[in-house]
Amino acid sequence: MCGVIMNVTNISLDPNIKHKLGSIHGVQPKWFVDDWIIKKDLCGCEGYVETLVSTFFEAAKIALPFVKYETVFVENVYTGDYLGGGCRCKTYNPYNYVDFDLRQLINNSKYTLEQVITQTGQARWNMFCDILPTEILYKLLYIMQLDTIILNDDRHFMNVRFLQDSNGICIMAPLFDHGASLFSDECLYPYKRMGHEYCRKKWCNRLLDINYTETLKFFKCNNVAPILLDGFTVYNTINNFYIKDYNTVVNTRFKAILFTQLNELEGFVWQQG
C-alpha cells in the first residue's frame, strides 16, 4: 500500500430511524442498512479517525483481525439536508454467531463484574490473570498497546467481544470502534488550544482504568514486549493518507498525533517487525 487518497461516500438516511447504542457517550446515532453499520459523528471527527486508524492497522499488519471503516457524509433522505460526517463498516459478525463481551466472561468466573471494576491497574490485571485464559490475556495486552499508540479511550469491556460458532468454538471478535482515538473528541480534548501533552494527561486506558503514564509503567513492570508493526509501510501510507472533502487542518492534525505517538513509543510499546 502506497499513498491512500479516499473519496467520501454520500449516504441518504431517515433521521428518525436510528439506533443509539454503545458509543463514546452511549448516544452516537447509528443506522443498520443491509449489512452496513453507519455512524454519524457526535463529538468531533470520529468517522475520519475510524478510517485513519483502520488504514493504520492495515498498513502496520497488526496481529489481530479488525473492522475496516470508510468515511461517509450523512444526508436526510427526505430533504437532502446535510446531517453530518461519519463512517460505515460491515458487521464483525456476518455469520450471526453467539456474540458476547468481556463483562460476561468475568461474570461467569469466580469474580463479579462489580468486584473487578472496583479495582484498577495492576490489581485489576491480577484478577484478569486469575480468571482469563492465557491466549486472551496476551490479546488484551496487545490491544492495550495498540490503544496506547492510537490513544483510544473507549475500549470499555463491551468493546472487547467474542464470537462462538455452532460447534462451541470461541474466538475474539475483530477489533472495532476506534472513533474515540487520536483526541477526536474536541470537547474532551481541546488539542488545538492545549496541545498534545495536556490532552494525553486526560487519556484513560479503559481496560485497566489508568492514565497514560500509569499504562506505560504497567507495561514496564510486567515486562510486556513491544508489539511488531510494519513501521516502514505505516509511515509511507499514513504520510500520504488524505480524504477528499476534509480540510487541510483535519487531514494534518490526526496524522500528526499518530506520528507523535509512533515516534515516542518506538522501541518500547512497538518495534519494527
Side-chain angles (χ1 to χ4, degrees), residues 30 39 49 69 72 74 103 109 117-118 129 134 142 164 174 188-189 192 212 215 226 232 236 244 250 252:
K30 297 182 181 180
K39 302 191 293 185
V49 169
Y69 289 85
V72 300
V74 180
R103 299 173 305 166
S109 73
I117 63 176
T118 56
C129 292
T134 301
Y142 191 97
Q164 183 175 346
L188 183 61
Y189 299 109
K192 290 183 286 187
Y212 187 82
T215 297
F232 298 121
N236 184 49
K244 296 179 180 179
V250 173
T252 302

Side-chain angles (χ1 to χ4, degrees), residues 102-114 131:
L102 187 56
R103 299 173 305 166
Q104 290 155 292
L105 277 186
I106 293 170
N107 273 327
N108 287 330
S109 73
K110 66 181 183 181
Y111 299 122
T112 65
L113 180 62
E114 184 176 1
I131 61 176

Side-chain angles (χ1 to χ4, degrees), residues 113-130:
L113 180 62
E114 184 176 1
Q115 287 174 313
V116 171
I117 63 176
T118 56
Q119 302 297 319
T120 63
Q122 190 66 50
R124 183 181 292 183
W125 180 252
N126 291 342
M127 297 179 83
F128 284 167
C129 292
D130 199 22

Side-chain angles (χ1 to χ4, degrees), residues 68-98:
K68 293 183 65 174
Y69 289 85
E70 60 182 56
T71 308
V72 300
F73 287 157
V74 180
E75 300 173 347
N76 187 314
V77 69
Y78 302 115
T79 66
D81 292 341
Y82 174 69
L83 298 178
C87 61
R88 69 176 180 176
C89 67
K90 298 286 188 177
T91 175
Y92 62 77
N93 186 12
Y95 303 109
N96 293 315
Y97 290 153
V98 175

